[in-house]
């Protein structure tokens, strides 16, 4: 008989009414004492929501939690802490100008004379804890001066200081290099052997297979299966994570490729002394859709910034139609040369608080004639675009009232409504239903047929295979070109590359 | 006392209330929302002290009233921002204005005038430590101040210590750096923010008490820009208690100089008072985050 | 993510300002009720007396003109996502400059002189805001802080100058000499102080409204103010929008100062701006930064001012009741009473 499970999750449901998404749709899982239990899934499968609920940062709509067989309710992080559960969040929650010790004792500070912070004791406790897990952390070091693995260690230390029994790690390796990640897993195994149960949330299949004792696969907010690493392999796991398991093996498209539109030559980018993109060398030509796929934390956002001209690279050069991208006047670039669907739809692609009409016309060229007659014409054109996009709303309504999917439609209508020789589409179908998704893909393909060079950046393999003529994968800042989509370039091969499994 | 004695001693006396108000402001700045109502809170503190102390004859009750009143106004600003999602900056500006109006009204009811009210009983006497106070320079500077100055100095030390060495100060600083670090530690960020505002109110209250007690009167607009100077001090002092102390002392010196200027120097006193603003303006203008927000060529 | 709103981006409130108005009036009413022995006549004095005599009403309208100009500029800066806290100094500089230039050229024809005075005022106001605008544009420096500091320095320097080298020694007022009578604002409705200034303010409001609602640059400015990253991404000229609104606001504040100086006194009096910069901010916020509502909001403030003056003369109630009412407007102008508009985005 199994020993009593340490932590048991039953039929958790969590919806976000503001966005209308169901993050968790009846998730159940069991964490046994002394195991490393991995939860894998694609972006948006509900992994982070699960972590937040288990650590008391979010409350579920329904479902129950049991710790050692007793039903518990977490209203705040302290409740989870009381039951020995600590979280290492994906985004750092360390106060960056405080020391390691100060971050560690926050909320339960030792005192002298009942008033003052007991620095000596907090240092001592921190040093002791960090020696306990053989972290070489200086308690007096300020967080902002630490390297990423050290920061991760500080996060882990904080979580352990709060909950000894269960450690939840949400994508702990996303800012680490491969060797740093390996030492992290060695540490997790040591912790497990010392009696801590670990819930490891990840989308990197290879890491999970080599470190976890059991694996639960999450897809679209539901559990697909829970299994042992021995019963699966990289390909199997990657495919079962994917929201559609069909393998696309479309025929190689007959592409008549022309002049280079985007050209990356040795482009590298560093983010606060870490390399995010390494030596990218590729071209996107007229008449093709060039697809780059990557999972979160592998540099896709940085690539988007480079290709969209939002940032310039530290080494190498990015050219657009033969001219250095940063040399283009932004106004001219965006009004007639480059169409851009950003991933950060609400922050960069749309202007919340403004009307739908304003959002539809807000591109250099279309705004040029804003006289009375010009406005009437723009209005008619915007109405046409809106209707063609299938959004039923008044032009003068605030864009805020639209659902995520409809916002995406407004964005696509503006950017893809007219022809531009270069198109940068970053996750262009996020939040869209299948039909609208199909329409966006068709539009991208037809723009390519009309002669545009399209750079598609996506975290969905389906999307990659639905639209791209040529395919590449970005993993830890390096680009692997797979060439023309054909029989050999199958979805499962791409999926394996995405998750760091061998090609 | 020589000219130098007076100048130094006055500098310190003027600097202390400014420093205390600035330390109060520092708590709110560190918590992420600078309370720009310091000027009004000083006035509120000074008035409620004068009114309560005059009515009861007790300095202690006066100080308690000042602390309560200024803290309440500060919390009003914080609550407008928290409960009604008002813009915290605008809400604090409004509190400045509210204090000006409310004190005007109250002054007519309490003192029967909107003007100056001499309250000689409230004047804080100068201490005289005999031999100590006759030490050249240091004597007048350290041992012949008004009694209230020592209280303010103590409060400054307490505020600075609380900022850098108590759990509360630590939480305030963590709040401004990353709110999530508090939430994951099981501390409610809103409570911390309210307390930070209350602290700024209390600090300004004592600063106001000090002003009223050093002139022995209630004077409308008694703060005369010291609250704004205190905000400037927060900025110039680089948000560190020691830096704040230096900046306040520099401003105290300038004020003392401008008081002395008429008699001794040939520089117009008003122009000396321009200096702090010019210096800080230059610092603010030259320091930037590099390029306009989200700008590109 | 912090739940606090960006301090530089006040909400555009529109009719959302009604609760603020109601609270302000209610507070005034309650105080009058409590403090007055004859509440009925005090109420009349506060709320109605401004409308009973044409001269008082005309003065009220005139009183609204200068704060209206200030508020228009402030609203423009708000629209671009920033906060001009330097209205006081910009207006002071404008008023003083207008007087100085007219004292220097005492024999121009009246209208030309007035126009020149206003231009000088606007130029001086713009010049006062120029350092902040420049450092905002080139270094991204904080406008809120720099406008306030520059303004304070200017206020103190002018206080000194008017009391010192610029002072008219023959006058009891601490003020400059009086400009030639030809340069005084002509009065349309003597004995009231009503001049064409309110028309000027209305015209300015109209132009600003046209600019913001029907010009391409106006639309771009609006979108930039709401989301600079978006504006930069779609290729608007974001550097210009970080610069010009502040300069225009400075010019409008300067013109308002010229209005104050050339209107009632014909000279620059020490401390003449008397909080006009702060009033401009309150009025802009009350109007939801919409130029169409700025003049009505300015009239409301002028009404509060005249009403509180009347109530203090006629009923012996402290005139500060008007200040308290204004403070409440400001306190609640950016508040949201209809619940949070949007739940915090997930993440």
């Amino acid at each position: 008989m199994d020993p009593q499970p340490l932590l048991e999750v039953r039929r958790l449901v969590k919806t976000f009414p503001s966005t209308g998404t169901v993050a968790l749709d009846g998730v159940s899982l069991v964490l046994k004492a002394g195991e490393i239990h991995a939860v894998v899934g694609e972006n948006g499968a509900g992994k982070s929501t699960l972590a937040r609920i288990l650590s008391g940062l979010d409350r579920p709509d329904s479902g129950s939690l049991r710790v050692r067989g007793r039903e518990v309710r977490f209203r705040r992080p302290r409740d989870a802490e009381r039951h020995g559960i600590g979280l290492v969040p994906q985004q750092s929650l360390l106060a960056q100008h405080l020391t390691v010790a100060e971050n560690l004792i926050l909320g339960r500070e030792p005192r002298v004379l009942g008033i003052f912070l007991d620095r000596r004791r907090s240092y001592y406790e921190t040093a002791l804890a960090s020696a306990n897990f053989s972290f070489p952390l200086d308690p007096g070091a300020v967080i902002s001066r630490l390297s990423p693995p050290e920061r991760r260690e500080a996060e882990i230390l904080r979580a352990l200081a709060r909950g000894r029994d269960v450690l939840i790690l949400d994508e702990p390796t996303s800012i680490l290099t491969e060797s740093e990640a390996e030492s992290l897993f060695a540490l997790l195994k040591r912790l497990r052997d010392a009696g801590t149960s670990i819930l490891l949330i990840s989308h990197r299949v290879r890491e999970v297979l080599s470190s976890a004792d059991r694996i639960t696969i999450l897809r679209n907010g539901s559990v697909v299966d829970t299994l042992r690493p021995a019963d699966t392999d990289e390909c199997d796991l990657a495919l079962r994570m994917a929201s559609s398991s069909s393998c696309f093996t479309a025929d190689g498209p007959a592409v008549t490729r022309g002049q280079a539109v985007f050209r990356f030559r040795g482009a590298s980018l560093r983010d606060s002394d870490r390399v995010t993109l390494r030596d990218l060398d590729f071209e996107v030509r007229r008449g093709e859709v060039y697809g780059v796929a990557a999972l979160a934390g592998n540099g896709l956002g940085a690539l988007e910034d480079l290709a969209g001209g939002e940032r310039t690279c530290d080494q190498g050069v990015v050219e657009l139609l033969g001219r250095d991208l940063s040399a283009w006047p932004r106004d001219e670039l965006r009004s007639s040369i480059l169409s851009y669907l950003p991933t950060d739809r609400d922050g960069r692609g749309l202007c919340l608080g403004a009307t739908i009409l304003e959002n539809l016309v807000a591109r250099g060229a279309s705004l040029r004639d804003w006289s009375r007659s010009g406005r009437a014409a723009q209005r008619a054109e915007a109405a046409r675009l809106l209707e063609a996009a299938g959004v039923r709303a008044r032009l003068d309504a605030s864009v805020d009232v639209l659902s995520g999917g409809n916002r995406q439609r407004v964005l696509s209508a503006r950017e893809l409504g007219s022809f531009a020789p270069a198109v940068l589409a970053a996750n262009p179908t996020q939040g869209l239903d299948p039909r609208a998704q199909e329409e966006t893909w068709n539009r991208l393909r037809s723009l390519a047929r009309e002669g545009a060079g399209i750079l598609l950046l996506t975290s969905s393999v389906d999307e990659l295979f639905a639209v791209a003529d040529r395919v590449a994968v970005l993993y830890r800042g390096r680009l692997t070109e797979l060439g023309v989509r054909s029989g050999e370039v199958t979805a499962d091969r791409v999926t394996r590359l995405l998750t760091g499994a061998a090609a | 006392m020589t000219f130098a004695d007076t100048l130094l001693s006055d500098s310190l006396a003027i600097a202390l209330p400014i420093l205390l108000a600035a330390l109060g402001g520092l708590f709110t700045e560190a918590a992420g929302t600078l309370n720009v109502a310091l000027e009004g809170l000083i006035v509120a503190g000074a008035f409620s002290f004068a009114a309560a102390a005059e009515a009861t004859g007790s300095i202690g009750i006066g100080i308690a009233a000042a602390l309560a009143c200024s803290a309440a106004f500060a919390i009003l600003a914080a609550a407008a921002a928290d409960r009604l999602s008002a813009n915290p900056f605008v809400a604090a500006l409004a509190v400045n204005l509210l204090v000006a109006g409310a004190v005007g009204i109250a002054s007519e009811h309490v003192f029967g005038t909107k003007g100056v009210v001499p309250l000689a009983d409230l004047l804080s006497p100068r201490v005289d430590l005999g031999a100590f106070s006759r030490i050249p320079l240091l004597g007048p500077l350290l041992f012949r101040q008004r009694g209230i100055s020592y209280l303010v100095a103590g409060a400054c030390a307490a505020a600075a210590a609380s900022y850098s060495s108590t759990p509360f100060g630590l939480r305030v600083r963590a709040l401004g750096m990353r709110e999530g670090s508090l939430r994951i530690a099981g501390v409610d960020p809103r409570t911390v923010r309210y307390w930070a505002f209350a602290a700024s109110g209390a600090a300004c209250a004592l600063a106001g008490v000090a002003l009223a007690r050093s002139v022995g009167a209630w004077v409308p607009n008694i703060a005369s820009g010291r609250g704004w100077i205190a905000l400037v001090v927060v900025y110039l002092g680089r948000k560190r208690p020691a830096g704040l102390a230096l900046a306040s002392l520099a401003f105290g010196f300038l004020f003392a100089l401008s008081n002395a200027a008429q008699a001794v120097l040939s520089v117009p006193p008003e122009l000396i008072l321009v200096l702090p603003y010019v210096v800080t303006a230059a610092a603010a203008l030259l320091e930037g985050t590099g390029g306009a927000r989200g700008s590109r060529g | 993510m912090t739940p606090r709103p960006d301090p530089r981006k006040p909400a555009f409130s529109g009719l959302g300002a009604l609760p603020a108005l109601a609270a302000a009036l209610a507070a005034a009413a309650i105080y009058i009720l409590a403090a007055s022995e004859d509440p009925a006549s005090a109420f009349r004095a506060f709320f109605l007396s401004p409308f009973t005599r044409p001269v008082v009403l005309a003065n009220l309208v005139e009183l609204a003109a200068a704060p209206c100009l200030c508020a228009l500029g402030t609203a423009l800066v708000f629209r671009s996502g920033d906060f001009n806290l330097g209205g006081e100094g910009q207006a002071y500089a404008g008023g003083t400059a207008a007087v100085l230039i007219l004292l220097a050229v005492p024999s121009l024809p009246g209208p030309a002189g007035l126009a020149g005075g206003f231009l000088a005022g606007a130029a001086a106001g713009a010049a006062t805001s120029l350092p902040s605008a420049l450092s905002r544009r080139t270094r991204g420096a904080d406008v809120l802080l720099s406008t306030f500091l520059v303004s304070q320095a200017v206020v103190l320097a002018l206080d000194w100058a008017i009391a010192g080298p610029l002072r008219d020694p023959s006058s009891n007022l601490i003020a400059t000499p009086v400009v030639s009578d030809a340069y005084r604002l002509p009065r349309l409705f003597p004995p009231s102080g009503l001049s064409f200034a309110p028309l000027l303010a209305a015209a300015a409001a109209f132009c600003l409204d046209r600019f913001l609602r029907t010009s391409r640059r106006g639309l771009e400015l609006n979108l930039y103010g709401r989301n600079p990253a978006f504006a930069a991404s779609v290729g608007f000229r974001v550097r210009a929008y970080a610069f010009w609104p502040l300069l225009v606001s400075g010019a409008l504040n300067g013109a308002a100062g010229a209005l104050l100086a050339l209107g009632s006194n014909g000279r620059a009096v020490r401390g003449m701006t008397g909080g006009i910069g702060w009033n401009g901010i309150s009025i802009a916020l009350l109007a939801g930064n919409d130029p169409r509502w700025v003049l009505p909001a300015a009239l409301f403030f002028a009404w509060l001012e005249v009403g509180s003056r009347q109530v203090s003369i006629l009923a012996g109630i402290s005139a500060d009741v008007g200040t308290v009412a204004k403070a409440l407007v400001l306190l609640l102008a950016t508040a949201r009473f209809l619940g949070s508009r949007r739940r915090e985005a997930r993440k």
Side-chain angles (χ1 to χ4, degrees):
Chain A
M1 207 181 90
D2 267 0
Q4 190 179 49
L6 188 57
L7 176 69
E8 199 179 353
V9 173
R10 281 191 190 163
R11 291 189 299 279
L12 277 191
V13 175
K14 175 77 183 173
T15 52
F16 291 96
S18 55
T19 51
T21 44
V22 181
L24 296 180
D25 192 6
V27 166
S28 303
L29 69 84
V30 169
L31 179 66
K32 297 177 189 165
E35 71 167 348
I36 297 182
H37 190 132
V39 175
V40 297
E42 289 190 315
N43 299 331
K47 296 170 303 195
S48 289
T49 308
L50 180 65
R52 292 176 60 86
I53 289 176
L54 290 180
S55 56
L57 284 168
D58 265 347
R59 287 183 225 174
D61 301 336
S62 65
S64 64
L65 299 180
R66 281 161 189 270
V67 177
R68 295 190 184 82
R70 290 241 308 276
E71 182 149 346
V72 293
R73 235 172 248 284
F74 297 160
R75 290 202 175 76
R76 54 189 77 86
R78 196 162 272 181
D79 297 337
E81 199 181 316
R82 208 167 289 136
H83 288 95
I85 299 175
L87 169 72
V88 179
Q90 186 176 0
Q91 305 270 317
S92 167
L93 287 183
L94 296 166
Q96 60 271 43
H97 299 305
L98 297 184
T99 63
V100 173
E102 285 169 333
N103 267 290
L104 219 69
I105 54 149
L106 201 59
R108 38 178 206 105
E109 302 86 354
R111 300 172 191 228
V112 276
L113 306 172
I115 304 172
F116 294 107
L117 279 175
D118 190 341
R119 284 233 160 77
R120 288 239 310 267
R121 210 169 100 210
S122 66
Y123 273 41
Y124 175 73
E125 280 178 8
T126 308
L128 198 68
S130 101
N132 224 337
F133 306 113
S134 36
F135 291 164
L137 276 180
D138 170 10
V142 174
I143 298 294
S144 59
R145 303 235 175 86
L146 297 180
S147 70
E150 286 172 328
R151 280 182 217 181
R152 196 94 303 182
E153 284 173 359
E155 292 281 356
I156 291 173
L157 209 53
R158 173 173 65 186
L160 286 171
R162 284 159 204 286
R164 266 328 236 308
D165 304 340
V166 179
L167 188 62
I168 303 172
L169 298 105
D170 190 0
E171 302 283 3
T173 59
S174 59
I175 56 162
L176 303 183
T177 66
E178 209 125 355
S179 62
E180 289 164 357
E182 268 165 36
S183 54
L184 174 70
F185 288 121
L187 164 72
L188 292 184
K189 284 177 183 160
R190 282 207 312 278
L191 287 174
R192 173 197 59 192
D193 297 340
T196 303
S197 304
I198 290 165
L199 197 67
L200 171 67
I201 285 167
S202 175
H203 56 221
R204 290 187 169 141
V205 168
R206 180 186 244 179
E207 294 175 353
V208 160
L209 279 173
S210 65
S211 59
D213 301 313
R214 290 198 305 151
I215 301 168
T216 291
I217 306 166
L218 218 54
R219 188 203 300 153
N220 294 333
S222 305
V223 173
V224 176
D225 199 357
T226 297
L227 36 72
R228 292 179 179 285
D231 302 334
T232 179
D233 60 36
E234 289 173 1
C235 180
D236 175 53
L237 204 53
L239 282 180
R240 294 175 75 173
M241 274 166 61
S243 42
S244 152
S245 58
S246 59
C247 274
F248 291 89
T249 48
D251 297 332
V255 190
T256 45
R257 293 191 290 140
Q259 178 204 354
V261 177
F262 291 96
R263 181 185 283 146
F264 283 68
R265 288 194 303 195
S268 300
L269 190 68
R270 307 169 72 83
D271 266 320
S272 57
D273 71 88
R274 293 180 73 79
V275 180
T276 359
L277 291 177
R278 231 179 267 271
D279 240 0
L280 301 190
D281 261 306
F282 68 98
E283 288 180 358
V284 181
R285 297 178 164 276
R286 274 181 180 272
E288 71 167 349
V289 179
Y290 188 97
V292 179
L295 297 176
N298 285 295
L300 200 65
L303 177 55
E304 179 187 337
D305 285 351
L306 283 191
E310 303 275 345
R311 297 172 68 184
T312 47
C313 39
D314 301 315
Q315 278 164 36
V317 67
V318 182
E319 287 176 1
L320 192 71
L321 298 171
R323 184 173 175 189
D324 189 337
L325 186 53
S326 55
W328 282 96
R330 187 79 193 170
D331 187 14
E332 184 187 342
L333 179 74
R334 288 289 278 115
S335 56
S336 50
I337 307 293
L338 172 69
S339 289
Y340 173 25
L341 298 168
T343 301
D344 184 5
R345 180 189 64 213
D346 293 346
R348 197 182 273 174
L350 295 175
C351 183
L352 297 187
T355 66
I356 296 172
L357 173 67
E358 288 166 343
N359 272 285
L360 278 171
V361 300
R363 255 184 95 183
S366 48
L367 263 179
R368 209 144 274 164
D369 188 5
W370 199 240
S371 63
R372 183 181 288 269
S373 60
R375 250 179 304 146
Q378 299 277 353
R379 213 184 156 80
E381 170 68 9
R384 195 190 59 73
L385 281 175
L386 196 65
E387 195 179 333
V391 179
R392 297 169 65 161
R394 286 182 309 112
L395 279 176
D396 295 316
S398 164
V399 75
D400 301 33
V401 304
L402 299 178
S403 68
N406 276 341
R407 288 183 197 177
Q408 189 68 31
R409 286 188 169 109
V410 167
L411 177 61
S412 306
R414 181 184 76 218
E415 295 294 330
L416 306 181
S418 57
F419 177 84
V423 177
L424 170 61
N427 292 309
T429 59
Q430 51 183 343
L432 293 183
D433 58 55
R435 199 176 55 85
Q437 200 172 33
E438 192 65 39
E439 282 165 13
T440 305
W441 291 342
N442 285 337
R443 180 68 190 139
L444 287 173
R445 277 190 295 252
S446 79
L447 281 172
R449 270 199 307 277
E450 288 169 37
I454 296 175
L455 176 56
L456 169 76
L457 307 179
T458 182
S459 41
S460 146
V461 180
D462 286 357
E463 182 158 272
L464 189 72
F465 276 83
V467 218
D469 300 312
R470 285 197 295 154
V471 173
V473 167
L474 194 63
Y475 183 73
R476 289 190 188 281
R478 284 185 196 282
L479 190 88
T480 313
E481 292 202 81
L482 302 179
V484 176
R485 182 177 51 142
S486 67
E488 290 153 48
V489 186
T490 55
D492 60 313
R493 177 153 174 241
V494 171
T495 308
R496 272 180 285 141
L497 281 169
L498 283 178
T499 52
Chain B
M1 290 205 288
T2 67
F3 175 70
D5 284 346
T6 317
L7 191 62
L8 286 185
S9 153
D10 282 0
S11 301
L12 186 62
I14 296 170
L16 283 171
I18 294 179
L19 173 59
L20 186 54
L23 284 168
L26 178 64
F27 276 94
T28 60
E29 168 66 22
T33 331
L34 178 61
N35 177 8
V36 293
L38 301 184
E39 176 85 0
L41 297 177
I42 294 176
V43 173
F47 177 80
S48 42
F49 166 75
E54 176 67 9
T56 61
S58 157
I59 301 270
I61 292 180
I63 291 180
L67 290 173
C69 180
S70 291
F73 272 115
I75 286 175
L76 175 68
D82 181 53
R83 294 270 158 186
L84 299 173
S85 352
N87 180 304
F89 181 80
V90 173
L93 285 183
V95 164
N96 267 335
L97 195 60
L98 189 63
V99 168
V103 163
I105 291 177
S107 176
E108 282 187 33
H109 285 282
V110 177
F111 297 125
T113 169
K114 284 177 71 173
V116 176
V117 184
L119 303 163
D121 295 348
L122 301 186
L123 184 67
S124 173
R126 286 191 184 274
V127 299
D128 194 342
L129 292 179
F132 280 119
S133 53
R134 280 191 289 280
I135 305 171
L137 284 182
L138 277 185
L141 180 65
L142 297 180
F143 305 112
R144 223 187 292 161
Q145 298 284 357
R146 294 187 187 282
I148 185 68
S149 292
Y150 297 99
L151 177 70
V152 172
C156 285
S162 150
Y163 179 77
S164 43
S165 314
T166 65
F168 173 62
L170 182 68
R171 291 174 184 191
V172 165
R173 285 178 285 145
L175 170 61
M177 291 174 209
R178 184 160 283 152
E179 199 169 313
S181 69
L182 281 185
R183 247 181 292 128
I184 202 171
V187 181
D188 182 7
R190 290 172 55 207
T191 314
V192 176
R193 186 169 294 124
Y194 273 115
W195 278 107
F197 266 74
S200 73
C204 289
L206 282 185
V209 169
L211 294 182
R213 292 207 63 190
S214 58
V215 293
W218 158 246
V219 184
N221 191 23
I222 192 166
S224 61
R226 284 180 175 79
W228 296 109
I229 294 274
L231 290 178
V232 166
V233 163
V234 173
Y235 183 79
L236 263 195
R238 305 242 146 227
K239 301 173 191 174
R240 291 197 198 99
L244 265 60
L246 273 180
S248 318
L249 283 174
F251 286 171
F253 179 73
L254 283 176
F255 275 106
L257 196 63
S258 84
N259 288 343
Q262 273 158 317
V264 184
L265 306 172
S266 56
V267 188
E270 291 98 332
L271 277 191
I272 293 179
L273 295 185
V274 175
L275 258 175
Y277 289 105
V278 170
V279 170
T280 323
L285 290 170
L286 294 177
E287 184 169 310
T289 50
R293 246 178 328 152
S295 74
R296 194 179 297 95
Chain C
M1 281 290 291
T2 52
R4 293 174 283 130
D6 179 356
R8 294 196 293 200
K9 261 190 221 152
F12 298 112
S13 51
L15 279 181
L18 275 181
L21 288 189
L25 292 179
I30 289 170
Y31 175 68
I32 291 172
L33 207 59
S36 167
E37 284 147 18
D38 179 6
S41 68
F43 271 137
R44 262 199 306 282
F46 188 86
F47 293 106
L48 298 178
S49 72
F51 303 107
T52 49
R53 286 170 49 216
V55 172
V56 179
L57 187 61
N59 277 337
L60 188 155
V61 173
E62 176 70 17
L63 198 61
C68 178
L69 286 181
C70 292
L72 287 172
T74 310
L76 181 68
V77 178
F78 274 136
R79 287 287 188 109
S80 75
D82 266 320
F83 219 130
N84 180 4
L85 268 190
E88 208 67 24
Q90 291 154 13
Y92 207 175
T96 312
V99 168
L100 289 183
I101 216 103
L102 293 181
L103 285 173
V105 283
S107 51
L108 286 176
L114 269 178
F118 270 101
L119 282 180
T128 310
S129 69
L130 182 66
S132 310
L134 272 179
S135 80
R136 168 82 179 81
R137 198 189 102 103
T138 54
R139 299 170 165 274
D142 197 27
V143 169
L144 186 94
L145 195 67
S146 69
T147 48
F148 173 73
L149 293 167
V150 171
S151 158
Q152 286 287 311
V154 166
V155 166
L156 288 168
L158 288 177
D159 273 351
W160 162 75
I162 290 176
L166 302 179
R167 182 167 180 185
D168 173 10
S170 63
S171 163
N172 288 332
L173 276 175
I174 302 177
T176 62
V178 180
V179 297
S180 128
D181 273 350
Y183 299 150
R184 306 289 295 274
L185 279 184
R187 295 188 171 188
L188 304 179
F189 185 56
S192 82
L194 185 67
S195 69
F196 62 81
L199 288 178
L200 192 74
F206 178 79
C207 293
L208 193 61
D209 179 52
R210 299 309 288 173
F211 168 73
L212 284 174
R213 286 197 306 139
T214 67
S215 80
R216 171 199 182 189
R217 299 284 177 216
L219 175 57
E220 290 189 0
L221 175 94
N222 260 317
L223 300 180
Y224 166 75
R226 286 183 194 276
N227 186 348
F230 163 83
S233 180
V234 294
F236 295 165
R237 297 191 185 157
V238 289
R239 277 172 184 268
Y241 299 131
F243 180 76
W244 286 106
L246 197 53
L247 217 63
V248 170
S249 173
L252 283 168
N253 282 324
L259 202 58
L260 289 180
L262 302 179
S264 50
N265 297 312
R267 52 170 38 171
V269 182
R270 182 170 159 149
M272 65 181 171
T273 47
I276 196 175
W278 304 113
N279 272 344
I281 291 170
S282 306
I283 292 168
L285 290 172
L286 181 62
N289 297 318
D290 184 338
R292 288 172 294 179
W293 288 102
V294 165
L295 190 53
L299 286 168
F300 174 77
F301 263 59
W303 175 42
L304 283 182
E305 208 155 302
V306 172
S308 54
R309 225 182 277 157
Q310 295 281 343
V311 84
S312 92
I313 297 168
L314 300 176
I317 301 257
S318 170
D320 280 317
V321 65
T323 312
V324 170
K326 282 185 197 166
L328 287 176
V329 169
L330 191 57
L331 186 66
L332 300 177
T334 61
R336 291 185 199 137
F337 296 91
L338 305 173
S340 58
R341 279 192 198 150
R342 239 181 316 124
R343 292 269 183 92
E344 207 181 324
R346 173 161 69 111
K347 208 166 251 181

